[in-house]
Amino acid sequence: MNYPEKIREQAEAILVRYPEGRERSALLPLLHLVQSHDGYVSDDGITFCADVLGITKAQVQAVSTFYTMYKREPAGDWLVSVCTNTLCHAKGGQKVFDALSDDLDVGHDETTADGKITLEHAECLAACDYAPVVTVNYEFYDDMDEAKALELVNELKEGRRPIPSRGAPLCTLRELSVQLAGFEEERTAGLEGNAQGDATLAGARLAAEAGIAAPAYDPNAPLLVKEPEEAK
């Protein structure tokens, strides 16, 4: 694929973030960049990243298949992830997934016939204090059940963007990939967001009440400590 000039300019802007000789570290944001254009990491995207970095397509593909945020098949505008790990499962996560699977007529890592919604199991979404949780393009919808999840997906079907329980306003997978590539959100609404959830702050609040604090950190402390001479 002959990527448009804007994508090529953004790729160059990504490269200059890294020291000379370390440009290969730009691979992760470059993969997000091609995903923002294609909607997934296509074979053309693999070739583009390899050419930009001067590495092999096999090396690019190895990275793109390691991280689940890179989709190797066309994905929908809305990636709906349902946590079915231990706590979410115990509180009904699998029932939520099954209800959505039946409603959308898709299974894990499959996309609806209209290409709008991709459904996936998620091993952990790091939000056990709000279990069971669902994310849409990695934005949280907390304390879900089958009815709430179906209502959420119905809003997506109707072209609306339901407000997440906390965090940034919802954006499409392509819009999100632009941000993950390291570029500013172009939508004014995308810069707005609501506060953290109360359950997340409960531990910090209890620690403060008990007078517990993390040890002080000296930002000027060296990161590398020389070994004592006798230890050599």
Side-chain angles (χ1 to χ4, degrees):
M1 175 185 291
N2 186 17
Y3 282 93
E5 187 62 27
K6 181 178 179 180
I7 294 294
R8 295 183 177 278
E9 290 175 355
Q10 288 177 312
E12 289 298 321
I14 289 172
L15 285 182
V16 300
R17 299 173 190 163
Y18 298 89
E20 184 177 353
R22 302 289 184 88
E23 293 88 350
R24 183 170 172 170
S25 297
L27 179 53
L28 298 183
L30 283 173
L31 285 168
H32 285 301
L33 180 65
V34 296
Q35 184 161 272
S36 76
H37 183 270
D38 297 337
Y40 69 112
V41 178
S42 64
D43 289 342
D44 288 329
I46 294 286
T47 301
F48 177 79
C49 291
D51 290 345
V52 167
L53 296 175
I55 59 179
T56 68
K57 289 187 285 187
Q59 288 171 314
V60 177
Q61 183 150 335
V63 173
S64 71
T65 55
F66 183 83
Y67 296 103
T68 59
M69 292 181 78
Y70 301 122
K71 302 305 175 187
R72 289 309 320 275
E73 298 292 335
D77 289 335
W78 312 113
L79 173 65
V80 178
S81 308
V82 182
C83 183
T84 54
N85 213 325
T86 307
L87 185 55
C88 283
H89 180 83
K91 298 190 70 175
Q94 185 63 51
K95 293 179 181 178
V96 170
F97 180 89
D98 292 341
L100 293 180
S101 180
D102 290 342
D103 181 71
L104 297 170
D105 195 28
V106 295
H108 167 64
D109 207 22
E110 293 181 351
T111 301
T112 54
D114 62 5
K116 294 295 184 184
I117 300 175
T118 298
L119 179 66
E120 67 175 8
H121 278 285
E123 275 303 301
C124 182
L125 295 175
C128 299
D129 38 355
Y130 301 100
V133 292
V134 172
T135 62
V136 179
N137 296 345
Y138 311 111
E139 299 296 346
F140 285 101
Y141 296 84
D142 302 329
D143 302 311
M144 300 298 284
D145 57 26
E146 297 99 307
K148 291 178 182 178
L150 290 171
E151 181 180 353
L152 168 64
V153 165
N154 283 335
E155 288 194 60
L156 297 175
K157 290 178 183 178
E158 294 168 1
R160 290 181 282 167
R161 300 190 182 200
I163 303 298
S165 300
R166 51 203 161 87
L170 193 60
C171 59
T172 67
L173 188 60
R174 292 185 188 227
E175 291 168 342
L176 175 65
S177 295
V178 173
Q179 298 173 44
L180 293 174
F183 297 99
E184 291 185 2
E185 165 65 71
E186 296 180 352
R187 301 173 303 131
T188 301
L191 301 177
E192 301 169 355
N194 48 358
Q196 305 98 325
D198 184 67
T200 303
L201 302 177
R205 186 169 56 249
L206 290 172
E209 292 172 358
I212 301 171
Y217 169 69
D218 179 4
N220 298 315
L223 296 178
L224 297 177
V225 180
K226 294 180 66 175
E227 294 182 12
E229 289 296 324
E230 60 270 18
K232 294 184 179 178

